Amino acid sequence: MKGEFYGIGVGPGSPDLLTIRATQVLQMVDVVCVPRSSAENELVALHIAKPYIPQATEIVEISTPMTRDKAVLEAEWQRGAEKIAAYLQDGKKVAFITIGDAMLFSTYTYLLKRVQALAPEAAVESIPGITSFAAAAAHLNVALAEGNERLAIIPAVDDPGALHPVFEHFSNAVLMKVAGKYDQILDVLTEQELQDKAVFVSNLGRQDQYVTYDLESLCGKEKNYLSLILVKREGF
């Protein structure tokens, strides 16, 4: 039997920001697969999507470890894809949920390639979700970009020094995954005289949502993984 595989972006954090299509699919699939990065971390995507998942739906955790070790990641992605493919080969309808958008910095895209190789006959639908930075801009009532302004979207997880040419060539920037090297990123913003033209947003749409324009106040403090910085050269 031919199964059906759905990749669902569940948005930035609030259950009321899922698309209508996402809620429809969640209500009709047999299995919902949820990413878990570690035994300690809560299942954020499941918390967001849970209001739309019937009680009878099977919930399956897929390990997505927070590591840069390529071999470990490859092994876990393959293991997760095999779990999903087994359900598809039984003719099941399976959804994999992920925060934000399914096609932007998402584990879903790595799993999708492997699932399609293991279960090539399965139908696939990828359902977009609202990104954290789009939601942040809407929350702040500011444009990400206007007119001919250029917008850069950067995962700031490697060398923060590499951000210098980004700020030289782009009017506005979205810096994602900033928690790990926040202080170094702030140093770059200060050198570029942009520290007062940026805003830090964390856990948008959740009870512990936090927004501040005083980036220096966060130096040396622990940051949540779901954090980003918006930068506008013309200011906010």
Side-chain angles (χ1 to χ4, degrees):
M1 296 176 65
K2 185 174 78 169
E4 298 174 13
F5 184 43
Y6 299 88
I8 302 178
V10 298
S14 178
D16 61 3
L17 290 180
L18 270 75
T19 66
I20 293 173
R21 179 57 179 161
T23 62
Q24 289 173 336
V25 171
L26 287 171
Q27 290 165 5
M28 64 86 165
V29 294
D30 304 298
V31 181
V32 172
C33 295
V34 298
R36 180 185 278 280
S37 57
S38 74
E40 294 77 25
N41 286 355
E42 63 174 312
L43 300 171
V44 178
L46 180 59
H47 175 77
I48 298 168
K50 196 169 185 179
Y52 308 103
I53 302 174
Q55 277 194 329
T57 304
E58 185 176 357
I59 306 295
V60 175
E61 293 182 11
I62 301 294
S63 175
T64 56
M66 299 288 286
T67 179
R68 305 293 294 278
D69 187 320
K70 190 68 172 177
V72 172
L73 289 172
E74 290 283 353
E76 292 296 342
W77 291 334
Q78 186 64 27
R79 190 173 295 114
E82 289 170 359
K83 278 187 183 180
I84 293 167
Y87 285 108
L88 295 173
Q89 288 161 357
D90 286 339
K92 301 282 189 180
K93 295 180 176 68
V94 183
F96 179 86
I97 58 176
T98 180
I99 55 175
D101 178 65
M103 291 300 192
L104 183 69
F105 300 130
S106 169
T107 301
Y108 166 68
T109 57
Y110 299 107
L111 286 170
L112 176 58
K113 297 170 188 175
R114 291 160 176 78
V115 168
Q116 288 179 309
L118 293 167
E121 297 302 316
V124 175
E125 180 181 345
S126 300
I127 300 169
I130 297 173
T131 63
S132 57
F133 53 86
H139 176 75
L140 298 168
N141 293 313
V142 297
L144 284 170
E146 295 179 304
N148 293 326
E149 291 179 341
R150 303 175 72 192
L151 175 68
I153 303 169
I154 307 293
V157 294
D158 291 318
D159 177 17
L163 293 173
H164 284 291
V166 172
F167 295 133
E168 292 169 4
H169 292 95
F170 290 84
S171 306
N172 307 323
V174 174
L175 308 182
M176 303 184 70
K177 306 179 182 180
V178 300
K181 296 193 176 180
Y182 179 87
D183 290 5
Q184 297 97 310
I185 293 168
L186 181 56
D187 287 342
V188 174
L189 291 172
T190 302
E191 291 168 17
Q192 293 280 337
E193 299 183 346
L194 293 170
Q195 74 275 16
D196 296 324
K197 298 178 179 180
V199 57
F200 173 88
V201 182
S202 179
N203 289 331
L204 187 69
R206 305 177 68 193
Q207 289 186 341
D208 53 351
Q209 172 180 302
Y210 183 74
V211 178
T212 184
Y213 294 88
D214 184 5
L215 272 63
E216 190 171 351
S217 67
L218 299 177
C219 282
K221 297 180 180 178
E222 186 176 354
K223 320 293 186 305
N224 186 279
Y225 174 73
L226 300 177
S227 300
L228 59 81
I229 297 173
L230 300 183
V231 184
K232 289 176 68 71
R233 184 163 291 282
E234 298 303 316
F236 289 87

